[in-house]
Every structure is written in C-alpha cells, then in structure tokens.
Amino acid sequence: MDVLYKIGEFVIVFLVIYLVTYLVLIRKNKIFNEDKIPVEVNYLVRMYKINIKKIDYKSLVYSYSLVNTLIITMVYMFVVYVPLYFILKLVLGFILLVGFMLLGYHFLGLYWKERGIENV
C-alpha cells in the first residue's frame, strides 16, 4: 500500500508541476523568437548543434518542459523520502538536480539532433 501511495504522489506532483509549467512558461514560448530563447533551448543548440529553424519549435518546448517536470518530480521524491538531516537533503537535492539535468538534457539533445537530421 505504501508503494501505491508513493506512485500516486509522484503522479499528482508531476501533473501539478506540469500544469504550472504549462501555464507559466509553455503558453508564451510556443512561437520561436530569437530575442527570447529559453536557457534550455540555448543549451541544446550550443551543445548538440541543433538547428531550431529545421525542427518543430513547439514540440521542442513541450519536450524540454516534460523533461524539466520529470526532473523536478524525481528530485522531490528522493529528497522527501530520504531520512537525512535538512542540510544533507539540500546537498543531495542539488547533486541529484544537476545530475538529472545533465542526463535528461543529454538524451533530449540526442533525440532532437536525430530528429533534426531526419527532417532536413
């Protein structure tokens, strides 16, 4: 029963964070504007040489928002359920956040790099 509770909490936290992300960030970033490129897109363009003009920018925004939501939810679940002192939880959360971001954006960059080549 405890596992089902944690899975339910994961799903609820994921949906709430994605809803907030959608309302705050996604709605205003659907159209490509060179003056207002989000940091995530800028990182993917520089690290993985993705050509934004050849891919669907709206799908890119949805995909990095989904990855961000997944990262935040996983870090939340780890930090909440690990029985450590507050300072150690902060350090663990920061380390997990950086690690998950690097890993998540790596896979996202490889995915969009492959899709960009196929769409050329």
Side-chain angles (χ1 to χ4, degrees):
M1 194 66 168
D2 192 40
V3 174
L4 288 177
Y5 174 77
K6 290 179 183 175
I7 291 173
E9 183 180 359
F10 183 87
V11 169
I12 290 170
V13 169
F14 182 85
L15 292 175
V16 167
I17 292 174
Y18 190 75
L19 180 67
V20 170
T21 303
Y22 179 80
L23 293 175
V24 174
L25 299 175
I26 295 176
R27 288 193 310 164
K28 59 183 187 174
N29 286 331
K30 284 184 181 177
I31 300 172
F32 177 67
N33 184 357
E34 287 191 28
D35 296 332
K36 297 181 180 180
I37 297 177
V39 176
E40 295 91 345
V41 175
N42 207 4
Y43 174 77
L44 291 172
V45 167
R46 290 185 182 178
M47 288 296 292
Y48 298 98
K49 310 292 189 254
I50 296 172
N51 189 353
I52 297 178
K53 297 184 187 225
K54 292 185 179 180
I55 61 174
D56 183 21
Y57 184 72
K58 186 176 175 182
S59 296
L60 178 64
V61 170
Y62 280 116
S63 65
Y64 81 73
S65 296
L66 196 64
V67 168
N68 284 343
T69 303
L70 185 63
I71 290 168
I72 293 168
T73 306
M74 288 189 315
V75 170
Y76 165 79
M77 293 300 286
F78 277 115
V79 169
V80 165
Y81 289 109
V82 171
L84 295 174
Y85 295 109
F86 181 73
I87 298 297
L88 293 176
K89 283 186 178 188
L90 285 177
V91 172
L92 175 68
F94 181 74
I95 291 169
L96 287 174
L97 183 66
V98 171
F100 284 150
M101 285 176 65
L102 290 173
L103 189 66
Y105 284 130
H106 174 72
F107 288 128
L108 191 62
L110 293 177
Y111 172 76
W112 279 106
K113 189 174 185 178
E114 184 178 308
R115 273 197 69 176
I117 292 171
E118 289 177 1
N119 291 337
V120 172

